[in-house]
């Protein structure tokens, strides 16, 4: 197949996975990979991770998340849209 088309498909898949998982897709030239890694580490260092235990909802199925920050001016929020729950074993 066409290498350019294959790269485009791979890029689209990576972008989709990043979006679904609350991540970020960053495309950079190999000469700038070091800067991209440093920026990712800096962003991670200044980020918060929230954990929660849902109550009053079925365990299995899709659960949409709606995350907001009160007085959120100056904050950048990146989160996944939801998650698939499983039945407890």
């Amino acid at each position: 197949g066409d290498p350019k088309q294959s790269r485009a498909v791979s890029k689209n898949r990576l972008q989709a996975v990043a979006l679904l998982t609350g991540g970020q897709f960053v495309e950079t030239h190999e000469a700038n990979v070091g800067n991209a890694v440093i920026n990712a580490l800096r962003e991670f260092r200044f980020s918060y991770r929230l954990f929660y235990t849902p109550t009053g909802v079925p365990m299995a199925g899709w659960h949409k998340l709606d995350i907001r920050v009160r007085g959120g001016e100056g904050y950048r929020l990146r989160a996944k849209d939801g998650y698939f729950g499983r039945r407890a074993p």
Side-chain angles (χ1 to χ4, degrees):
D2 181 10
K4 285 185 179 181
Q5 184 179 7
S6 179
R7 277 193 300 271
V9 169
S10 295
K11 178 180 170 182
N12 289 343
R13 286 183 180 162
L14 289 172
Q15 287 172 324
V17 168
L19 180 65
L20 287 171
T21 59
Q24 181 179 12
F25 178 83
V26 177
E27 188 172 12
T28 185
H29 187 273
E30 63 186 55
N32 296 326
V33 169
N35 287 335
V37 170
I38 288 169
N39 288 338
L41 291 172
R42 183 178 297 124
E43 184 175 307
F44 179 76
R45 187 170 165 227
F46 291 105
S47 65
Y48 289 92
R49 191 166 184 187
L50 303 176
F51 295 89
Y52 57 91
T53 303
T55 58
V57 297
M59 290 291 285
W62 174 253
H63 299 278
K64 181 162 179 48
L65 297 175
D66 183 16
I67 300 171
R68 300 174 195 177
V69 177
R70 285 189 186 150
E73 298 82 27
Y75 294 100
R76 186 173 57 147
L77 180 65
R78 187 173 63 229
K80 56 186 176 178
D81 291 336
Y83 67 96
F84 280 102
R86 297 184 297 210
R87 290 188 195 336

